[in-house]
Amino acid sequence: MAKTILENTSAQIVEKKSKFIANIYHVQTQEQAEEILKETRKKYYDARHNCYAYSILTKNGIINKMSDDGEPSGTAGAPILNIITKNEITNILVIVTRYFGGVLLGTGGLVKAYSEATIKALENAKMANEELGFEVKLVTTYSELEKVRYYCEKNKICIETIEYDEKANLVVEVNKKEKETLQKIIDEGKINVEKIDVIKEKNIRKNLEI
């Protein structure tokens, strides 16, 4: 289980006329992170630098990547990544955009500014635990729907969607233990679910108030 952010957030600081805008995003893949980076460069096309770092949890371990984006080596991406890893946060992308104010900050000043912008944005973020889990489809009758919904809500299982077809189709997020318990409850007939199918494995967020 790892710590991540619950929602995207941002913060801004000004250091010797240079403006530093930190944007923090919850991401689950490198592709998602790279797409956000592309959009950010378009949004802040007139900025001098868009420095970043991300840390993504995968089955094979954690992937870390960073960039100084033209700033002196080690003055932007590394400090951002250091704050992420020091706080043990994963599945996160931090982009700090700099609008140059005409005054050189020096290497120490840059490290301080990029660090402060990142820390300030993280202070605005709500944290959650994240772990490997499953997206699961449950099929039930309309007469049993409320009972299934109540079970999910009582056990803090996130219902992503409900599709109203001939039967009610619920897509829920569960971790391994919750999936096993749910299957047992269904097998014992304590809730009437006609079909349970794993759609895919995915990282899910739990215990949102930490």
Side-chain angles (χ1 to χ4, degrees):
M1 188 177 291
K3 185 168 66 173
T4 190
I5 61 166
L6 179 56
E7 56 193 16
N8 301 337
T9 186
S10 63
Q12 180 178 309
I13 67 166
V14 176
E15 186 70 28
K16 294 182 179 177
K17 298 183 180 180
S18 279
K19 183 162 67 175
F20 295 83
I21 305 166
N23 286 290
I24 297 181
Y25 303 91
H26 176 261
V27 292
Q28 293 199 349
T29 64
Q30 281 186 282
E31 292 76 16
Q32 189 182 1
E34 294 297 336
E35 185 58 36
I36 292 171
L37 280 163
K38 192 186 297 181
E39 292 170 3
T40 299
R41 292 183 185 111
K42 286 180 183 176
K43 180 179 178 180
Y44 298 107
Y45 68 92
D46 54 343
R48 180 70 68 88
H49 307 281
N50 286 290
C51 306
Y52 70 87
Y54 60 71
S55 181
I56 297 172
L57 180 65
T58 72
K59 286 182 183 179
N60 301 317
I62 294 174
I63 296 172
N64 293 326
K65 188 176 178 182
M66 62 185 176
S67 171
D68 295 312
D69 192 33
E71 293 282 29
S73 179
T75 61
I80 296 169
L81 184 59
N82 180 56
I83 290 164
I84 292 172
T85 55
K86 186 179 177 182
N87 285 279
E88 299 180 332
I89 306 171
T90 57
N91 287 2
I92 184 172
L93 164 65
V94 179
I95 307 172
V96 182
T97 300
R98 181 190 182 190
Y99 282 92
F100 183 55
V103 179
L104 295 174
L105 300 182
T107 55
L110 288 171
V111 170
K112 179 174 177 288
Y114 281 102
S115 298
E116 283 186 3
T118 302
I119 290 167
K120 189 173 180 181
L122 280 175
E123 286 173 350
N124 295 333
K126 292 180 181 178
M127 294 292 169
N129 287 323
E130 186 155 272
E131 60 189 304
L132 186 62
F134 306 90
E135 194 172 77
V136 174
K137 182 180 179 180
L138 307 175
V139 180
T140 188
T141 61
Y142 287 109
S143 60
E144 293 292 318
L145 177 58
E146 285 308 312
K147 191 183 289 186
V148 176
R149 287 179 67 169
Y150 176 74
Y151 173 84
C152 291
E153 289 166 7
K154 183 182 176 183
N155 291 279
K156 297 182 179 178
I157 293 172
C158 172
I159 300 174
E160 286 192 308
T161 60
I162 301 178
E163 214 175 87
Y164 299 93
D165 205 341
E166 290 182 9
K167 302 284 177 72
N169 302 303
L170 298 86
V171 176
V172 302
E173 291 181 340
V174 289
N175 59 28
K176 185 180 178 182
K177 185 178 179 182
E178 288 168 338
K179 178 177 169 291
E180 290 171 352
T181 302
L182 181 58
Q183 185 68 66
K184 185 181 177 184
I185 295 285
I186 292 168
D187 291 344
E188 291 172 350
K190 292 180 180 177
I191 58 172
N192 187 7
V193 171
E194 297 182 2
K195 195 175 180 183
I196 173 170
D197 288 323
V198 174
I199 299 171
K200 63 180 178 181
E201 288 189 356
K202 65 181 291 189
N203 290 322
I204 62 172
R205 285 175 282 182
K206 289 285 184 181
N207 303 324
L208 302 183
E209 296 178 3
I210 66 172

